[in-house]
Amino acid sequence: MLGSIDCMHWKWKNCPTAWQDMYTGHVHEPTIILEAIASKDLWIWHAFFGLPGSLNDINVLDRSHIFEDLAEGRGPEVRYTINGNKKKYFATAQESVRKDVERAFGVLQSRFAMVRGPSRFWDLHTMKYIMTACIILHNMIIEDERELHMEGEHFDTDVAIPIITPNRSRSSTLREFIQVHKQIRDKQVHFQLQNDLVEHLWQMHGSDRN
């Protein structure tokens, strides 16, 4: 479901003049970003709100807490192994779940006119409380409607249920991700990489300026 992560921009009509450049991005108006992940039933199970609209999705993801547990080695106990063409499967699955989060944004805005139109509040914390309350109410509605949909569903008991063997061992890819993530967050490693890059660029182009 991480493929369903996406960002929504909430226009900030009364953004202070001193902050307008910082909060203005590709929308060409001051906005505040909501990062969210939604499941197929439009349940929003991760939300991160409050970053300025001038940031791109990569910068938002870097500041989000979505990978904190994974970086610390905490995650779901069950991990599945996908056989076959992994790249094709992932691309197809990502395209499908990306539509889910976009639909969730649309439903959220259609239910709550306050987050559909530009915000007229001055205080950023007030806007955060409003967005959080709307997401909680949205999930409550989804959970309530989910039980109604399940009552009308009929399952074919003759279809064989595939047996899936979970793999609880930590994969090498996960270990590499945790290691790289910690290195990126380490200040000494950051400054060392920065100095190495400066030295590399000087060796390549410094002689041209002499």
Side-chain angles (χ1 to χ4, degrees):
M1 281 178 56
L2 287 177
S4 69
I5 192 168
D6 201 3
C7 295
M8 182 188 82
H9 290 255
W10 188 15
K11 293 183 181 180
W12 192 2
K13 183 177 181 179
N14 289 335
C15 175
T17 304
W19 294 359
Q20 288 195 4
D21 289 339
M22 180 174 62
Y23 281 85
T24 301
H26 70 279
V27 184
H28 305 298
E29 293 183 64
T31 60
I32 303 176
I33 297 176
L34 167 66
E35 177 201 61
I37 298 179
S39 55
K40 188 176 181 180
D41 60 357
L42 307 184
W43 171 278
I44 298 176
W45 64 274
H46 163 77
F48 182 63
F49 177 79
L51 292 180
S54 59
L55 300 178
N56 57 33
D57 291 355
I58 298 299
N59 298 133
V60 175
L61 185 63
D62 180 62
R63 290 163 173 78
S64 173
H65 56 270
I66 182 65
F67 287 125
E68 285 184 358
D69 289 342
L70 189 59
E72 295 299 327
R74 301 189 298 269
E77 294 184 359
V78 178
R79 307 185 189 280
Y80 299 97
T81 301
I82 301 174
N83 297 321
N85 192 332
K86 297 181 180 179
K87 291 183 179 180
K88 182 178 180 181
Y89 178 85
F90 179 78
T92 304
Q94 186 179 29
E95 181 181 359
S96 175
V97 296
R98 184 66 177 271
K99 295 178 181 178
D100 295 335
V101 68
E102 291 175 353
R103 286 174 51 232
F105 287 149
V107 172
L108 182 69
Q109 291 177 325
S110 65
R111 281 179 172 154
F112 306 101
M114 183 171 289
V115 298
R116 181 172 65 249
S119 173
R120 294 175 173 81
F121 293 92
W122 296 88
D123 186 14
L124 186 61
H125 293 287
T126 301
M127 298 171 63
K128 185 174 182 179
Y129 292 143
I130 292 172
M131 182 62 72
T132 303
C134 290
I135 292 173
I136 293 174
L137 292 173
H138 167 84
N139 282 348
M140 291 175 65
I141 296 172
I142 293 297
E143 186 176 10
D144 204 33
E145 293 178 347
R146 182 188 301 163
E147 297 178 356
L148 296 177
H149 294 321
M150 291 181 64
E151 290 179 359
E153 291 181 354
H154 300 280
F155 299 95
D156 189 356
T157 56
D158 296 332
V159 178
I161 301 175
I163 299 175
I164 301 177
T165 304
N167 180 13
R168 292 183 172 84
S169 61
R170 183 172 296 180
S171 64
S172 59
T173 305
L174 178 60
R175 289 196 299 268
E176 292 172 0
F177 168 80
I178 295 174
Q179 184 177 2
V180 171
H181 184 86
K182 290 183 177 180
Q183 289 178 350
I184 293 175
R185 297 294 182 180
D186 187 89
K187 291 185 178 180
Q188 293 182 353
V189 175
H190 172 77
F191 288 129
Q192 183 62 47
L193 291 173
Q194 191 177 42
N195 294 333
D196 292 343
L197 179 60
V198 171
E199 183 66 25
H200 174 70
L201 293 175
W202 176 257
Q203 292 178 359
M204 292 183 60
H205 306 290
S207 59
D208 299 339
R209 300 185 178 183
N210 295 333

Coordinates of all heavy atoms in Angstrom, one line a residue, residues 132-207:
T132 N -7.3 17.2 10.7 CA -7.3 15.9 11.5 C -8.7 15.5 11.8 O -9.0 14.3 11.7 CB -6.4 16.1 12.7 OG1 -5.1 16.5 12.4 CG2 -6.3 14.8 13.5
A133 N -9.5 16.4 12.2 CA -10.9 16.1 12.6 C -11.7 15.6 11.4 O -12.4 14.6 11.5 CB -11.6 17.3 13.2
C134 N -11.4 16.2 10.2 CA -12.1 15.7 9.0 C -11.7 14.3 8.6 O -12.5 13.5 8.2 CB -11.9 16.7 7.8 SG -12.7 18.3 8.0
I135 N -10.4 14.0 8.8 CA -9.9 12.7 8.4 C -10.5 11.6 9.4 O -10.9 10.5 9.0 CB -8.4 12.7 8.5 CG1 -7.8 13.5 7.3 CG2 -7.8 11.2 8.4 CD1 -6.3 13.7 7.3
I136 N -10.6 12.0 10.7 CA -11.1 11.0 11.7 C -12.6 10.8 11.4 O -13.1 9.6 11.4 CB -11.0 11.6 13.1 CG1 -9.5 11.6 13.5 CG2 -11.8 10.8 14.1 CD1 -9.2 12.3 14.8
L137 N -13.4 11.8 11.1 CA -14.8 11.7 10.7 C -14.9 10.9 9.4 O -15.9 10.0 9.3 CB -15.5 13.0 10.6 CG -15.6 13.8 11.9 CD1 -16.1 15.2 11.6 CD2 -16.5 13.1 12.9
H138 N -14.1 11.1 8.5 CA -14.1 10.4 7.2 C -13.9 8.9 7.5 O -14.6 8.1 6.9 CB -13.0 10.9 6.3 CG -12.7 10.1 5.1 ND1 -13.5 10.1 3.9 CD2 -11.8 9.1 4.9 CE1 -13.0 9.2 3.1 NE2 -11.9 8.6 3.6
N139 N -12.9 8.5 8.3 CA -12.7 7.1 8.6 C -13.8 6.5 9.4 O -14.1 5.3 9.2 CB -11.4 7.0 9.4 CG -10.1 7.1 8.5 OD1 -10.2 7.0 7.3 ND2 -9.0 7.2 9.1
M140 N -14.5 7.3 10.2 CA -15.6 6.8 11.0 C -16.8 6.4 10.0 O -17.4 5.4 10.2 CB -16.1 7.8 12.0 CG -15.1 8.0 13.2 SD -15.6 9.3 14.3 CE -17.1 8.7 15.0
I141 N -17.0 7.3 9.0 CA -18.0 7.0 8.0 C -17.7 5.8 7.2 O -18.5 4.9 6.9 CB -18.2 8.2 7.1 CG1 -18.7 9.4 7.9 CG2 -19.2 7.9 6.0 CD1 -18.7 10.7 7.2
I142 N -16.4 5.7 6.8 CA -15.9 4.5 6.0 C -16.1 3.2 6.8 O -16.6 2.2 6.3 CB -14.5 4.7 5.6 CG1 -14.3 5.8 4.6 CG2 -13.9 3.4 5.0 CD1 -15.0 5.7 3.3
E143 N -15.8 3.3 8.1 CA -15.9 2.1 8.9 C -17.4 1.7 9.1 O -17.8 0.5 9.1 CB -15.3 2.3 10.3 CG -15.3 1.1 11.2 CD -14.5 1.4 12.5 OE1 -14.2 2.5 12.7 OE2 -14.3 0.4 13.2
D144 N -18.2 2.7 9.2 CA -19.7 2.5 9.4 C -20.3 1.9 8.1 O -21.1 0.9 8.2 CB -20.4 3.8 9.8 CG -21.7 3.5 10.5 OD1 -21.8 2.6 11.3 OD2 -22.6 4.3 10.3
E145 N -19.9 2.4 7.0 CA -20.4 1.9 5.7 C -19.8 0.6 5.3 O -20.5 -0.2 4.6 CB -20.1 2.9 4.6 CG -20.9 4.3 4.8 CD -20.6 5.3 3.7 OE1 -19.6 5.0 3.0 OE2 -21.3 6.3 3.6
R146 N -18.6 0.3 5.8 CA -18.0 -1.0 5.5 C -18.8 -2.2 6.0 O -19.0 -3.2 5.3 CB -16.6 -1.0 6.1 CG -15.8 -2.3 5.8 CD -14.6 -2.3 6.6 NE -13.7 -1.2 6.4 CZ -12.7 -0.8 7.2 NH1 -12.5 -1.4 8.3 NH2 -12.0 0.2 6.8
E147 N -19.4 -2.0 7.2 CA -20.3 -3.1 7.7 C -21.5 -3.3 6.9 O -22.0 -4.5 6.7 CB -20.6 -2.8 9.2 CG -19.5 -2.7 10.1 CD -19.9 -2.4 11.5 OE1 -21.1 -2.1 11.7 OE2 -19.0 -2.3 12.4
L148 N -22.1 -2.3 6.3 CA -23.2 -2.4 5.5 C -22.9 -3.1 4.2 O -23.7 -3.9 3.7 CB -23.8 -1.0 5.1 CG -24.3 -0.2 6.3 CD1 -24.8 1.2 5.9 CD2 -25.5 -0.9 7.0
H149 N -21.7 -2.8 3.6 CA -21.3 -3.5 2.4 C -21.0 -4.9 2.6 O -21.3 -5.8 1.7 CB -20.1 -2.8 1.8 CG -20.3 -1.4 1.3 ND1 -21.5 -1.0 0.7 CD2 -19.6 -0.2 1.4 CE1 -21.5 0.3 0.4 NE2 -20.3 0.8 0.9
M150 N -20.5 -5.3 3.8 CA -20.1 -6.7 4.0 C -21.4 -7.5 4.2 O -21.4 -8.7 3.9 CB -19.3 -6.8 5.3 CG -17.9 -6.2 5.1 SD -16.8 -6.3 6.5 CE -16.7 -8.1 6.7
E151 N -22.5 -6.9 4.7 CA -23.7 -7.7 4.9 C -24.3 -8.1 3.5 O -24.9 -9.2 3.5 CB -24.7 -6.8 5.6 CG -24.4 -6.6 7.1 CD -25.4 -5.7 7.8 OE1 -26.3 -5.3 7.1 OE2 -25.2 -5.4 9.0
G152 N -24.1 -7.3 2.5 CA -24.7 -7.7 1.2 C -23.8 -8.5 0.3 O -24.1 -8.9 -0.8
E153 N -22.5 -8.8 0.8 CA -21.6 -9.6 0.0 C -21.8 -11.1 0.2 O -22.1 -11.5 1.3 CB -20.2 -9.2 0.4 CG -19.8 -7.8 0.0 CD -18.4 -7.5 0.3 OE1 -17.7 -8.3 1.0 OE2 -17.9 -6.4 -0.1
H154 N -21.7 -11.8 -0.9 CA -21.8 -13.3 -0.8 C -20.5 -13.9 -1.3 O -20.0 -13.5 -2.4 CB -23.0 -13.8 -1.6 CG -24.3 -13.2 -1.2 ND1 -25.0 -13.8 -0.1 CD2 -25.0 -12.2 -1.6 CE1 -26.1 -13.1 0.1 NE2 -26.2 -12.1 -0.8
F155 N -19.9 -14.8 -0.6 CA -18.7 -15.4 -1.0 C -18.9 -16.8 -1.5 O -19.7 -17.6 -0.9 CB -17.7 -15.4 0.2 CG -17.4 -14.1 0.7 CD1 -18.1 -13.5 1.8 CD2 -16.4 -13.3 0.1 CE1 -17.8 -12.2 2.3 CE2 -16.1 -12.0 0.6 CZ -16.8 -11.5 1.7
D156 N -18.2 -17.2 -2.5 CA -18.2 -18.5 -3.1 C -17.3 -19.5 -2.2 O -16.1 -19.4 -2.3 CB -17.8 -18.5 -4.5 CG -18.0 -19.8 -5.2 OD1 -18.5 -20.8 -4.5 OD2 -17.8 -19.9 -6.4
T157 N -17.9 -20.3 -1.5 CA -17.2 -21.2 -0.6 C -16.5 -22.4 -1.4 O -15.7 -23.1 -0.8 CB -18.1 -21.8 0.5 OG1 -19.2 -22.5 -0.1 CG2 -18.6 -20.7 1.4
D158 N -16.9 -22.5 -2.7 CA -16.3 -23.6 -3.4 C -14.9 -23.3 -4.0 O -14.2 -24.1 -4.4 CB -17.2 -24.0 -4.6 CG -18.6 -24.5 -4.1 OD1 -18.6 -25.1 -3.0 OD2 -19.6 -24.4 -4.8
V159 N -14.6 -22.0 -4.0 CA -13.3 -21.6 -4.5 C -12.2 -21.9 -3.5 O -12.3 -21.6 -2.3 CB -13.3 -20.0 -4.8 CG1 -11.9 -19.6 -5.3 CG2 -14.4 -19.7 -5.8
A160 N -11.2 -22.5 -4.0 CA -10.1 -23.0 -3.1 C -9.3 -21.7 -2.6 O -9.0 -20.8 -3.4 CB -9.1 -23.9 -3.9
I161 N -9.0 -21.7 -1.4 CA -8.2 -20.6 -0.8 C -6.7 -20.9 -0.9 O -6.3 -21.9 -0.4 CB -8.6 -20.3 0.7 CG1 -10.1 -20.0 0.7 CG2 -7.8 -19.2 1.3 CD1 -10.6 -19.8 2.1
P162 N -5.9 -20.1 -1.5 CA -4.5 -20.4 -1.6 C -3.8 -20.3 -0.3 O -4.1 -19.5 0.6 CB -4.0 -19.3 -2.6 CG -4.9 -18.2 -2.4 CD -6.3 -18.8 -2.2
I163 N -2.9 -21.2 -0.1 CA -2.1 -21.3 1.1 C -0.8 -20.4 1.0 O 0.0 -20.6 0.1 CB -1.7 -22.7 1.5 CG1 -3.0 -23.6 1.7 CG2 -0.8 -22.8 2.7 CD1 -2.7 -25.1 1.9
I164 N -0.7 -19.5 1.9 CA 0.5 -18.5 1.8 C 1.3 -18.8 3.0 O 0.9 -18.8 4.2 CB 0.0 -17.1 1.8 CG1 -0.9 -16.8 0.6 CG2 1.2 -16.1 1.8 CD1 -1.5 -15.4 0.5
T165 N 2.6 -19.0 2.8 CA 3.6 -19.3 3.8 C 4.3 -18.0 4.1 O 5.0 -17.5 3.3 CB 4.6 -20.4 3.4 OG1 3.9 -21.6 3.1 CG2 5.5 -20.6 4.6
P166 N 4.1 -17.4 5.3 CA 4.8 -16.1 5.6 C 6.2 -16.3 5.9 O 6.7 -17.3 6.4 CB 4.0 -15.6 6.9 CG 3.5 -16.9 7.5 CD 3.2 -17.8 6.4
N167 N 7.0 -15.3 5.5 CA 8.4 -15.3 5.8 C 8.8 -14.2 6.8 O 8.6 -13.0 6.5 CB 9.2 -15.0 4.5 CG 10.7 -15.0 4.7 OD1 11.2 -15.4 5.7 ND2 11.4 -14.6 3.7
R168 N 9.1 -14.6 8.0 CA 9.3 -13.6 9.1 C 10.8 -13.2 9.2 O 11.2 -12.5 10.1 CB 8.8 -14.2 10.4 CG 7.3 -14.4 10.5 CD 6.9 -14.9 11.8 NE 5.4 -14.8 12.0 CZ 4.6 -15.8 11.5 NH1 5.1 -16.8 10.9 NH2 3.3 -15.6 11.7
S169 N 11.7 -13.7 8.4 CA 13.1 -13.3 8.4 C 13.2 -12.0 7.8 O 12.6 -11.7 6.8 CB 13.9 -14.4 7.7 OG 13.6 -14.5 6.4
R170 N 14.1 -11.2 8.3 CA 14.4 -9.9 7.8 C 15.2 -10.0 6.5 O 16.3 -10.5 6.5 CB 15.1 -9.0 8.8 CG 15.3 -7.6 8.4 CD 15.9 -6.7 9.5 NE 14.9 -6.6 10.6 CZ 15.2 -5.9 11.7 NH1 16.3 -5.3 11.8 NH2 14.2 -5.9 12.6
S171 N 14.7 -9.5 5.4 CA 15.3 -9.6 4.1 C 16.5 -8.7 4.0 O 16.7 -7.7 4.8 CB 14.3 -9.2 3.0 OG 14.0 -7.9 3.1
S172 N 17.4 -9.0 3.1 CA 18.7 -8.2 2.9 C 18.3 -6.8 2.4 O 19.0 -5.8 2.8 CB 19.6 -8.9 1.9 OG 19.0 -9.1 0.7
T173 N 17.2 -6.7 1.6 CA 16.8 -5.4 1.1 C 16.4 -4.5 2.3 O 16.7 -3.3 2.3 CB 15.6 -5.5 0.2 OG1 16.0 -6.4 -0.9 CG2 15.3 -4.2 -0.5
L174 N 15.6 -5.0 3.3 CA 15.2 -4.2 4.4 C 16.4 -3.8 5.2 O 16.5 -2.7 5.7 CB 14.2 -5.0 5.3 CG 13.8 -4.4 6.6 CD1 13.0 -3.1 6.2 CD2 12.9 -5.3 7.3
R175 N 17.4 -4.7 5.4 CA 18.6 -4.4 6.2 C 19.4 -3.3 5.5 O 19.9 -2.4 6.2 CB 19.5 -5.6 6.4 CG 18.9 -6.7 7.3 CD 20.0 -7.7 7.7 NE 20.5 -8.4 6.6 CZ 20.0 -9.5 6.1 NH1 19.0 -10.1 6.7 NH2 20.6 -10.1 5.1
E176 N 19.5 -3.3 4.2 CA 20.2 -2.3 3.5 C 19.5 -1.0 3.6 O 20.1 0.1 3.7 CB 20.3 -2.7 2.0 CG 21.2 -3.9 1.8 CD 21.2 -4.4 0.4 OE1 20.5 -3.8 -0.5 OE2 21.9 -5.4 0.0
F177 N 18.1 -1.0 3.5 CA 17.3 0.2 3.6 C 17.6 0.9 5.0 O 17.8 2.1 5.1 CB 15.9 -0.1 3.4 CG 15.0 1.1 3.8 CD1 14.8 2.2 3.0 CD2 14.3 1.1 5.1 CE1 14.0 3.2 3.3 CE2 13.5 2.2 5.4 CZ 13.3 3.2 4.5
I178 N 17.5 0.1 6.1 CA 17.7 0.6 7.4 C 19.1 1.2 7.6 O 19.3 2.3 8.1 CB 17.4 -0.5 8.5 CG1 16.0 -0.9 8.4 CG2 17.8 0.0 9.8 CD1 15.7 -2.1 9.3
Q179 N 20.1 0.5 7.0 CA 21.5 1.0 7.1 C 21.7 2.3 6.4 O 22.2 3.3 6.9 CB 22.4 0.0 6.6 CG 23.9 0.3 6.7 CD 24.8 -0.8 6.3 OE1 24.4 -1.8 5.8 NE2 26.1 -0.6 6.4
V180 N 21.1 2.4 5.1 CA 21.3 3.6 4.3 C 20.5 4.8 5.0 O 21.0 5.9 5.0 CB 20.8 3.4 2.9 CG1 20.7 4.7 2.1 CG2 21.7 2.4 2.2
H181 N 19.3 4.5 5.5 CA 18.5 5.5 6.1 C 19.2 6.1 7.3 O 19.2 7.3 7.5 CB 17.1 4.9 6.5 CG 16.2 5.9 7.1 ND1 15.3 6.6 6.3 CD2 15.9 6.3 8.4 CE1 14.6 7.4 7.0 NE2 15.0 7.3 8.3
K182 N 19.8 5.3 8.1 CA 20.5 5.8 9.3 C 21.8 6.6 8.9 O 22.1 7.6 9.5 CB 20.9 4.6 10.2 CG 19.8 4.0 10.9 CD 20.2 2.9 11.8 CE 19.0 2.3 12.6 NZ 19.4 1.2 13.5
Q183 N 22.4 6.2 7.8 CA 23.6 6.9 7.3 C 23.2 8.3 6.8 O 23.9 9.3 7.1 CB 24.3 6.1 6.2 CG 25.1 4.9 6.7 CD 25.7 4.1 5.6 OE1 25.5 4.4 4.4 NE2 26.5 3.2 5.9
I184 N 22.1 8.4 6.1 CA 21.6 9.7 5.6 C 21.3 10.6 6.8 O 21.5 11.8 6.7 CB 20.4 9.4 4.7 CG1 20.8 8.7 3.4 CG2 19.7 10.8 4.3 CD1 19.7 8.3 2.5
R185 N 20.7 10.1 7.8 CA 20.3 10.9 9.0 C 21.5 11.3 9.9 O 21.4 12.1 10.7 CB 19.3 10.1 9.8 CG 18.0 9.9 9.1 CD 17.2 11.1 8.8 NE 16.0 10.9 8.2 CZ 15.1 11.8 7.8 NH1 15.4 13.1 8.0 NH2 14.0 11.5 7.2
D186 N 22.7 10.6 9.7 CA 23.8 10.9 10.5 C 24.5 12.2 10.0 O 24.8 12.3 8.9 CB 24.8 9.7 10.4 CG 26.0 9.9 11.4 OD1 25.8 9.4 12.5 OD2 27.0 10.5 11.0
K187 N 24.7 13.1 10.9 CA 25.2 14.4 10.6 C 26.7 14.3 10.1 O 27.1 15.0 9.1 CB 25.1 15.4 11.7 CG 23.7 15.8 12.1 CD 23.7 16.9 13.2 CE 22.3 17.3 13.5 NZ 22.3 18.3 14.6
Q188 N 27.5 13.5 10.8 CA 28.9 13.4 10.4 C 29.0 12.8 9.0 O 29.8 13.2 8.1 CB 29.6 12.5 11.4 CG 29.8 13.1 12.7 CD 30.6 12.3 13.7 OE1 30.9 11.1 13.4 NE2 30.8 12.8 14.9
V189 N 28.2 11.8 8.7 CA 28.2 11.2 7.3 C 27.7 12.2 6.3 O 28.3 12.3 5.2 CB 27.3 9.9 7.3 CG1 27.2 9.4 5.9 CG2 27.9 8.8 8.2
H190 N 26.7 13.0 6.7 CA 26.2 14.0 5.8 C 27.3 15.0 5.4 O 27.5 15.3 4.2 CB 25.0 14.7 6.4 CG 24.5 15.9 5.6 ND1 23.8 15.8 4.5 CD2 24.7 17.2 5.8 CE1 23.5 17.0 4.0 NE2 24.1 17.9 4.8
F191 N 28.0 15.5 6.4 CA 29.0 16.5 6.1 C 30.2 15.9 5.4 O 30.8 16.5 4.5 CB 29.5 17.1 7.4 CG 28.6 18.1 8.1 CD1 28.2 17.9 9.4 CD2 28.0 19.1 7.4 CE1 27.3 18.8 10.0 CE2 27.1 20.0 7.9 CZ 26.7 19.8 9.2
Q192 N 30.5 14.6 5.6 CA 31.6 13.9 4.9 C 31.2 13.8 3.4 O 32.1 14.0 2.6 CB 31.9 12.6 5.6 CG 33.0 11.8 4.9 CD 34.3 12.6 5.1 OE1 34.6 13.1 6.2 NE2 35.1 12.7 4.0
L193 N 30.0 13.4 3.2 CA 29.5 13.3 1.8 C 29.5 14.6 1.1 O 29.9 14.7 -0.1 CB 28.1 12.6 1.7 CG 28.0 11.2 2.2 CD1 26.6 10.8 2.2 CD2 28.8 10.3 1.2
Q194 N 29.2 15.6 1.8 CA 29.1 17.0 1.3 C 30.6 17.5 0.9 O 30.8 18.0 -0.2 CB 28.5 18.0 2.3 CG 28.2 19.3 1.7 CD 27.5 20.2 2.7 OE1 27.9 20.2 3.9 NE2 26.5 20.9 2.3
N195 N 31.5 17.2 1.8 CA 32.9 17.6 1.5 C 33.5 16.8 0.4 O 34.3 17.3 -0.4 CB 33.7 17.4 2.8 CG 33.3 18.4 3.9 OD1 32.8 19.5 3.6 ND2 33.6 18.0 5.2
D196 N 33.1 15.5 0.3 CA 33.6 14.7 -0.8 C 33.1 15.2 -2.1 O 33.8 15.1 -3.1 CB 33.2 13.2 -0.5 CG 33.9 12.6 0.6 OD1 35.0 13.1 1.1 OD2 33.5 11.5 1.1
L197 N 31.8 15.6 -2.1 CA 31.3 16.1 -3.3 C 31.9 17.4 -3.8 O 32.2 17.6 -5.0 CB 29.8 16.4 -3.1 CG 29.0 16.9 -4.4 CD1 29.1 16.0 -5.5 CD2 27.5 17.2 -4.0
V198 N 32.2 18.3 -2.8 CA 32.9 19.5 -3.1 C 34.3 19.2 -3.7 O 34.7 19.8 -4.7 CB 33.0 20.4 -1.9 CG1 33.9 21.6 -2.1 CG2 31.6 20.9 -1.5
E199 N 35.0 18.3 -3.1 CA 36.4 17.9 -3.5 C 36.3 17.3 -4.9 O 37.2 17.6 -5.8 CB 37.0 16.9 -2.6 CG 38.4 16.5 -2.9 CD 39.4 17.7 -2.8 OE1 39.1 18.6 -2.0 OE2 40.4 17.6 -3.5
H200 N 35.3 16.5 -5.2 CA 35.1 15.9 -6.5 C 34.9 16.9 -7.6 O 35.5 16.9 -8.7 CB 34.0 14.9 -6.4 CG 33.7 14.2 -7.8 ND1 34.5 13.3 -8.4 CD2 32.6 14.4 -8.6 CE1 34.0 13.0 -9.5 NE2 32.8 13.6 -9.7
L201 N 34.0 17.9 -7.3 CA 33.7 18.9 -8.3 C 34.9 19.8 -8.5 O 35.1 20.3 -9.6 CB 32.5 19.7 -7.8 CG 31.1 19.0 -7.7 CD1 30.1 19.9 -7.1 CD2 30.7 18.5 -9.1
W202 N 35.7 20.1 -7.5 CA 36.9 20.9 -7.6 C 37.9 20.2 -8.5 O 38.5 20.8 -9.3 CB 37.4 21.2 -6.3 CG 38.7 22.0 -6.4 CD1 40.0 21.6 -6.2 CD2 38.8 23.4 -6.7 NE1 40.9 22.6 -6.4 CE2 40.2 23.7 -6.7 CE3 37.9 24.4 -7.0 CZ2 40.7 25.0 -7.0 CZ3 38.3 25.7 -7.3 CH2 39.7 26.0 -7.3
Q203 N 38.0 18.9 -8.3 CA 39.0 18.2 -9.2 C 38.6 18.1 -10.6 O 39.4 18.1 -11.5 CB 39.2 16.7 -8.6 CG 39.9 16.7 -7.3 CD 40.0 15.2 -6.8 OE1 39.5 14.3 -7.4 NE2 40.5 15.0 -5.6
M204 N 37.3 18.1 -10.8 CA 36.8 18.1 -12.2 C 36.8 19.4 -12.9 O 37.1 19.5 -14.1 CB 35.3 17.5 -12.2 CG 35.3 16.0 -11.8 SD 33.6 15.4 -12.0 CE 33.2 15.7 -13.7
H205 N 36.4 20.5 -12.2 CA 36.2 21.8 -12.8 C 37.0 22.9 -12.2 O 37.0 24.0 -12.8 CB 34.7 22.2 -12.7 CG 33.8 21.2 -13.2 ND1 33.6 20.8 -14.6 CD2 32.9 20.3 -12.6 CE1 32.7 19.9 -14.7 NE2 32.3 19.6 -13.5
G206 N 37.7 22.6 -11.1 CA 38.5 23.7 -10.5 C 39.7 24.2 -11.4 O 40.0 25.4 -11.4
S207 N 40.3 23.3 -12.1 CA 41.4 23.7 -12.9 C 41.0 24.6 -14.1 O 41.8 25.3 -14.6 CB 42.1 22.4 -13.5 OG 41.2 21.6 -14.2

